[in-house]
Amino acid sequence: MLQLSPHSSFLKKYSFCRSHPRLMAYRGITHRFAAAHNNAVESFPLIAAAVLLSQQSGVPVSIRAQFAAYAFVARVLHYLFYLTNLSIPRSVAWFSYSVPCYLLLIASAIPGFSKAYLQAGGR
């Protein structure tokens, strides 16, 4: 059995995380990629629920597609800002991602929202 002391070169090389002994702590850009991926996985249920609920409640396809496209573009921008460690643009991109998701949820809950949105100039 391999036993490692706290001063082992293995621990120094891979920055072993003592609070989570089964996990290796990443460094540099690898850490940013892992954190960005985890954030994307954690935020996926919001858009999935919004699109599925809006589909089941009869929101027109044009509105669903438009809001989902906005959310997708915002997620891509959020990912890029996460990798470059730009905190303010990253927060704006996350907010820009969440707004279409919540609007889809509102469109699902309020029957007249879709009609009013289309009459106001939505596609």
Side-chain angles (χ1 to χ4, degrees), residues 58-60 62-63 106-108 110-123:
V59 175
S62 61
I63 294 176
I106 290 169
S108 303
I110 301 172
F113 180 84
S114 301
K115 185 177 179 181
Y117 177 78
L118 290 173
Q119 288 175 351
R123 296 178 184 201

Side-chain angles (χ1 to χ4, degrees), residues 66-77:
Q66 184 179 11
F67 287 164
Y70 289 155
F72 177 76
V73 169
R75 260 334 277 184
V76 170
L77 289 174

Side-chain angles (χ1 to χ4, degrees), residues 39 70-82 84-102:
N39 187 278
Y70 289 155
F72 177 76
V73 169
R75 260 334 277 184
V76 170
L77 289 174
H78 180 266
Y79 193 80
L80 294 174
F81 292 141
Y82 211 113
T84 56
N85 202 19
L86 299 171
S87 62
I88 293 175
R90 181 179 71 209
S91 298
V92 170
W94 185 88
F95 182 75
S96 300
Y97 163 77
S98 64
V99 167
C101 297
Y102 291 124

Side-chain angles (χ1 to χ4, degrees), residues 10-32 34-35 38:
F10 175 82
L11 295 179
K12 289 178 184 175
K13 181 178 178 183
Y14 293 104
S15 179
F16 192 72
C17 181
R18 293 187 181 156
S19 61
H20 301 285
R22 294 183 183 166
L23 301 176
M24 295 289 179
Y26 298 110
R27 291 183 178 174
I29 191 71
T30 308
H31 170 72
R32 303 299 308 166
N38 289 338

